[in-house]
Amino acid sequence: MSLHWEGEHEDRGRAREAAQELAALRAGTVGEPLTLGNEFAEARVSLVRTRNGVRLLIEATRSGQWVTLDPLELEALTWQGTATFSAMVGRPFTSLFPEQDDTARDDTARDGTAQDDTGESAS
């Protein structure tokens, strides 16, 4: 018996594209990755060079999720209060802005990063 679902081919295609993008990012790694972990999570952090400059590649080793952050996005983390991080931890694998589609990653094709527009205004 074989299971199939609506959108299976699109999901497979997006997964392949993401895997290729991650492999390209890893190829640009500078130095050795740093792994941080505790009983709740583990993340591997790497400095990577892209055509648009240096990014921090953060990979959740248990879930396979990953993101790249540029220096401004990293600085923006320091602007957040504890409530923002509590909200993110309290709703794993979901966006803080559910009205926007996080899966599109439209900017990825344009700038070579794995970032989407979740922090942008919809107007």
Side-chain angles (χ1 to χ4, degrees):
M1 181 169 103
S2 178
L3 297 176
H4 298 281
W5 62 90
E6 184 177 333
E8 175 182 9
H9 297 292
E10 292 83 3
D11 288 349
R12 186 178 298 121
R14 282 192 294 262
R16 281 188 186 128
E17 289 172 11
Q20 290 170 350
E21 183 179 359
L22 182 57
L25 287 166
R26 285 180 177 159
T29 298
V30 177
E32 292 295 317
L34 174 67
T35 301
L36 305 167
N38 62 20
E39 64 272 23
F40 302 110
E42 183 176 279
R44 182 174 42 245
V45 180
S46 307
L47 185 66
V48 296
R49 293 196 189 280
T50 70
R51 66 175 189 229
N52 292 323
V54 178
R55 303 281 190 267
L56 198 63
L57 170 62
I58 304 171
E59 300 175 79
T61 58
R62 294 180 187 169
S63 70
Q65 300 288 318
W66 58 275
V67 65
T68 58
L69 301 174
D70 67 25
L72 180 59
E73 292 164 329
L74 283 169
E75 182 179 332
L77 291 175
T78 69
W79 308 335
Q80 306 310 307
T82 56
T84 302
F85 294 105
S86 294
M88 289 190 307
V89 170
R91 295 178 38 210
F93 309 109
T94 61
S95 174
L96 290 178
F97 303 98
E99 68 278 0
Q100 295 181 354
D101 181 10
D102 286 345
T103 61
R105 294 187 180 225
D106 291 336
D107 283 350
T108 301
R110 285 197 302 268
D111 69 7
T113 69
Q115 299 306 141
D116 58 20
D117 289 331
T118 57
E120 298 291 321
S121 169
S123 54

